[in-house]
Amino acid sequence: MASTSGWVTPFLLPSPQAVFETLVELAGSGVLAKHTLVSLRRVASGYLLAIAFAVPVALLFSLSGALRRMIEPLLEFLRQIPPLAMMPLLILWLGIGEAQKIGIIVLSCFFPIFLGVRGGITAVDRKLIDVGTVYGFSRTEIMLRIVLPSALPSIVVGLRIGLGYSWRALVGAELIASSAGLGYMIVDAENLARTDIVLAGILVIGVLGLISDHLLRYLISRKASWLSGDLEMARA
């Protein structure tokens, strides 16, 4: 209404029709598919690496009190630092290629996943562990058969929040020295004063985020159907 009635200039806020036409044009030329595939690869790589780092660290924290006391202050310190503030260091350490961009996404996803796993393990009822001990379960069996299933609702919440953070970090990861990706497309459109392309890129990221979240929920519900209530809780 604001754009079509002339309350704001089309330069600042293009009409939905103009944005839709831009989307069709970008899709038809293959530009949108090119940028989307690059961004999907970066998000998937960063998210999976964050899981690979966060879950073992959370498990180690639960198994070793000495390790937790030694490393927890450092992790809490790093958790307060915005991942984009680390970009200059990541450029120096990893260069300006794919590793730097994936590193930003890993930093953004790590702590939500880590806190979800750790919080779930911490909240496990001690009586369940005592029952496993009585039945002669080893430490590994207690972790696999009692602790992780009990912690799964919190882990799911952490996974979903981390996935959302990966898309939020995408634009920042593609700000510097990028030649492809949805974030690059948005920043390049801003330099060209193409607000319609900026909005088109934002819409695509939002849709991809929704689709990836639904896919994650679907995979979890197939493997653990009893978590349906916790999946809805994680949406709130």
Side-chain angles (χ1 to χ4, degrees):
M1 288 175 61
S3 58
T4 55
S5 62
W7 295 347
V8 294
T9 64
F11 170 75
L12 294 177
L13 186 64
S15 67
Q17 180 182 356
V19 175
F20 177 76
E21 291 173 353
T22 299
L23 272 172
V24 172
E25 178 185 344
L26 292 171
S29 64
V31 172
L32 186 61
K34 169 192 170 185
H35 292 307
T36 300
L37 288 174
V38 170
S39 292
L40 281 172
R41 185 178 69 245
R42 289 169 177 163
V43 167
S45 300
Y47 182 64
L48 292 176
L49 280 173
I51 294 175
F53 290 140
V55 174
V57 172
L59 292 176
L60 286 174
F61 265 45
S62 303
L63 295 173
S64 173
L67 180 67
R68 181 172 64 252
R69 288 188 295 271
M70 181 173 59
I71 300 181
E72 187 172 28
L74 175 61
L75 286 180
E76 282 300 312
F77 171 78
L78 292 175
R79 189 167 68 90
Q80 312 307 321
I81 301 174
L84 291 182
M86 299 289 291
M87 187 176 290
L89 284 177
L90 290 178
I91 292 174
L92 289 173
W93 294 341
L94 304 176
I96 57 175
E98 289 297 301
Q100 171 259 330
K101 298 170 183 59
I102 293 174
I104 290 290
I105 297 174
V106 170
L107 288 176
S108 299
C109 300
F110 175 86
F111 286 105
I113 299 171
F114 168 77
L115 292 175
V117 177
R118 186 184 171 197
I121 293 175
T122 303
V124 173
D125 190 345
R126 181 69 197 181
K127 293 178 182 178
L128 296 176
I129 298 177
D130 292 338
V131 170
T133 304
V134 169
Y135 277 91
F137 286 3
S138 66
R139 200 170 186 180
T140 301
E141 287 177 321
I142 290 175
M143 180 64 68
L144 294 178
R145 299 179 63 179
I146 296 176
V147 175
L148 287 181
S150 300
L152 203 52
S154 294
I155 295 174
V156 168
V157 173
L159 289 174
R160 292 189 65 191
I161 295 175
L163 182 59
Y165 273 50
S166 69
W167 287 106
R168 296 182 185 185
L170 178 67
V171 176
E174 296 176 342
L175 276 174
I176 297 177
S178 291
S179 58
L182 292 170
Y184 164 79
M185 185 181 78
I186 291 173
V187 174
D188 185 57
E190 182 225 347
N191 294 330
L192 298 174
R194 289 292 305 273
T195 318
D196 53 339
I197 297 180
V198 172
L199 288 173
I202 291 171
L203 287 174
V204 171
I205 290 176
V207 170
L208 290 175
L210 282 174
I211 293 174
S212 60
D213 182 69
H214 279 286
L215 284 175
L216 178 63
R217 290 171 54 213
Y218 173 75
L219 291 174
I220 293 172
S221 64
R222 287 292 301 273
K223 296 296 182 180
S225 57
W226 52 274
L227 279 174
S228 57
D230 299 289
L231 289 173
E232 293 303 316
M233 186 188 306
R235 179 186 294 184

